[in-house]
């Protein structure tokens, strides 16, 4: 067994530096690496390029980094929930590269699995394909999308073990799974870290080979963005 | 003229037994309320769930269980979770039978514009470009005209596109249309709406042949 545990979040991202490119897992606020984001804010790392489906909300998630103007370039599919984001984007203070959601996931997966690029139909004939190579297969048009190149991938799982194996819960798997192993260094934070051997190998979603560092997060707020309920009759 | 609920109700009649369906935000979401009795349908949400159920009861919300609109949801028996790459794999691989989404404009080339108004706030395309480029069976659910009373069914879209040559059917508050050889064929009228009213509200070329029935609910 190869041990991947690190003591805490400070150690886990100690070598994150200004100007680096980071993948950040999650969909909306679901499954985001809360503890790593807090540490990025505390350290006030600058000029980051962040690859993440969304940009958090004003006071949570990646929104916290936006508030301190730590993000130079944001690569995302949907950024509608964040007023500060809007302001920085409209003022040209931050570069924003909007990418179709499935293409975003596939550019992560390609990096994870060693593909230099993939052909996708999404975006053909639209702004999202401008300046990109296209090709026809069986009479259909495709756009060549390059794999992401990132320094760090920050993912969050429900359970993990000391060997770096990960299990996700519910819809929190989202971008965390394709981002694991898609950067030079993958750091996983988990709600519950157990000794190797305690997780059933049949139930592992991401094998530890994709994870370089793992730690148990100190606390999880797990904020809900759109609390929607029905009434009991 | 149909209400948003009635547009959803009419589209729900297009559901077939065994369909996997992806519903966009807005009117399409309402379709889940009108699934005909006896049909086995599973709803897919692109953030990673098949077999999505209704909203949870108060106190039973789970932060790890949301839909693509970031709303709390529940699962139904037979549900499955997966990651975003696999989710769009099932969309791209055409395993999803029907996609219903809203739009700002559609045109007779089958093009759709739904994500960006130049000069106004751009929130992003989310999964819409992936969905429209992959699905064979796409129904657009929307109001026939915009808030200025102008047709949203055009000869050529004016707004930045979400996808090209992909729309197959449109259901609006006035009528149901099918795309056919570069024109929209009028299939059904909303109850009480005349063919002349539909013509007046439509900029695109229409095919109107034979008796055009009123929708039945």
């Amino acid at each position: 067994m190869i041990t991947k545990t690190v003591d805490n979040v400070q150690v886990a991202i100690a070598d994150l530096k200004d100007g680096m490119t980071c993948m950040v897992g999650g969909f909306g606020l679901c499954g985001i690496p809360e503890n790593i984001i807090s540490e990025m804010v505390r350290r006030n790392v600058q000029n980051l390029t962040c690859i993440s489906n969304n940009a958090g909300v004003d006071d949570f998630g990646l929104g916290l980094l936006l508030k301190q103007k730590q993000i130079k370039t944001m690569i995302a599919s949907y950024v509608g929930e964040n007023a500060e984001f809007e302001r920085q984007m409209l003022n040209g203070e931050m570069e924003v590269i909007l990418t179709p959601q499935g293409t975003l996931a596939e550019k992560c997966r390609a990096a994870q699995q060693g593909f230099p690029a993939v052909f996708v139909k999404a975006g053909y004939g639209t702004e999202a394909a401008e300046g990109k190579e296209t090709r026809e297969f069986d009479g259909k048009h495709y756009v060549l999308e390059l794999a992401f190149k990132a320094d760090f991938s920050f993912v969050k799982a429900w359970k993990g073990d000391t060997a770096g194996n990960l299990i996700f819960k519910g819809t929190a798997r989202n971008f965390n799974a394709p981002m694991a192993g898609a950067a030079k260094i993958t750091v996983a934070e988990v709600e519950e870290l157990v000794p190797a051997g305690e997780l059933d190998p049949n139930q592992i979603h991401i094998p530890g080979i994709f994870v370089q560092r793992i730690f148990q997060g100190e606390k999880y707020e797990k904020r809900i963005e759109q609390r929607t309920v029905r009434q009991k009759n | 003229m149909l209400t948003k609920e009635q547009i959803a109700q009419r589209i729900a009649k297009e559901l077939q037994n065994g369909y996997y369906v992806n519903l966009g935000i807005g009117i399409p979401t309402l379709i889940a309320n009108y699934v005909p009795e006896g049909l086995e349908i599973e709803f897919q949400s692109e953030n990673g769930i098949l077999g999505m159920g209704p909203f949870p009861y108060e106190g039973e919300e789970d932060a790890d269980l949301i839909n693509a609109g970031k709303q709390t949801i529940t699962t139904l028996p037979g549900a499955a979770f997966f990651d975003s790459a696999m989710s769009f794999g099932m969309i791209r691989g055409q395993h999803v039978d029907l996609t219903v989404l809203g739009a700002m404009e559609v045109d007779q080339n089958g093009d759709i514009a739904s994500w960006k108004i130049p000069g106004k706030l751009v929130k992003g395309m989310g999964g819409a470009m992936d969905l429209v480029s992959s699905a064979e069976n796409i129904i657009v659910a929307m109001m026939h005209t915009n808030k200025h009373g102008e047709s949203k069914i055009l000869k050529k879209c004016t707004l930045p596109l979400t996808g090209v040559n992909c729309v197959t059917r449109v259901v609006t508050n006035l009528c149901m249309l099918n795309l056919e050889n570069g024109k929209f064929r009028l299939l059904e009228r909303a109850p009480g709406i005349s063919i002349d009213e539909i013509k007046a509200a439509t900029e695109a070329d229409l095919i109107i042949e034979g008796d055009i029935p009123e929708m039945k609910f």
Side-chain angles (χ1 to χ4, degrees), chain A residues 156-160 169 189-193 215-217 220 222, chain B residues 64:
Chain A
K156 187 258 167 183
W158 178 40
K159 290 181 182 175
K169 181 167 161 271
E189 60 167 84
V190 297
E191 288 179 54
E192 189 185 351
L193 182 65
F215 68 96
Q216 183 171 309
Y220 284 96
K222 294 177 77 165
Chain B
D64 290 324

Side-chain angles (χ1 to χ4, degrees), chain A residues 27-28 30 54 77-81 86 89 98-103 105-106 109 120-128 140 169-175 177-178 191 222-232, chain B residues 46-49 54-72 74 81-85 88 92 94 115-116 121-127 129-130 133-134 136 160-164:
Chain A
F27 181 97
C30 181
N54 311 92
S77 85
Y78 190 81
V79 292
E81 323 296 343
E86 201 178 313
M89 181 166 75
L98 292 170
T99 305
Q101 194 174 124
T103 298
E106 206 56 24
R109 199 186 66 88
V120 298
K121 272 197 253 176
Y124 178 81
T126 76
E127 285 178 13
K140 288 175 181 156
K169 181 167 161 271
T171 52
R173 199 179 315 180
N174 54 57
F175 281 85
E191 288 179 54
K222 294 177 77 165
R223 202 185 286 189
I224 292 174
E225 209 164 325
Q226 304 283 344
R227 188 179 300 275
T228 316
V229 296
R230 67 188 148 134
Q231 299 305 318
K232 273 185 183 153
Chain B
E46 62 269 25
N47 59 314
I49 176 172
F55 298 133
Y57 292 119
E58 199 163 355
E60 294 175 9
E61 313 92 297
D62 180 352
D64 290 324
L65 191 43
I66 63 168
N67 63 18
K70 285 122 186 170
Q71 296 169 307
T72 44
T74 58
F81 298 120
F82 35 86
D83 67 63
S84 300
F88 283 94
R92 206 181 287 113
Q94 298 189 333
W115 72 286
K116 182 176 182 181
L121 175 64
V122 182
K123 293 187 170 189
M125 66 290 278
M129 286 190 179
D130 310 271
S133 65
S134 304
E136 295 233 304
L161 298 178
T162 308
V164 294

Side-chain angles (χ1 to χ4, degrees), chain A residues 18-30:
Chain A
D18 291 356
M20 282 187 164
T21 298
C22 311
M23 293 180 168
V24 183
F27 181 97
L29 300 179
C30 181

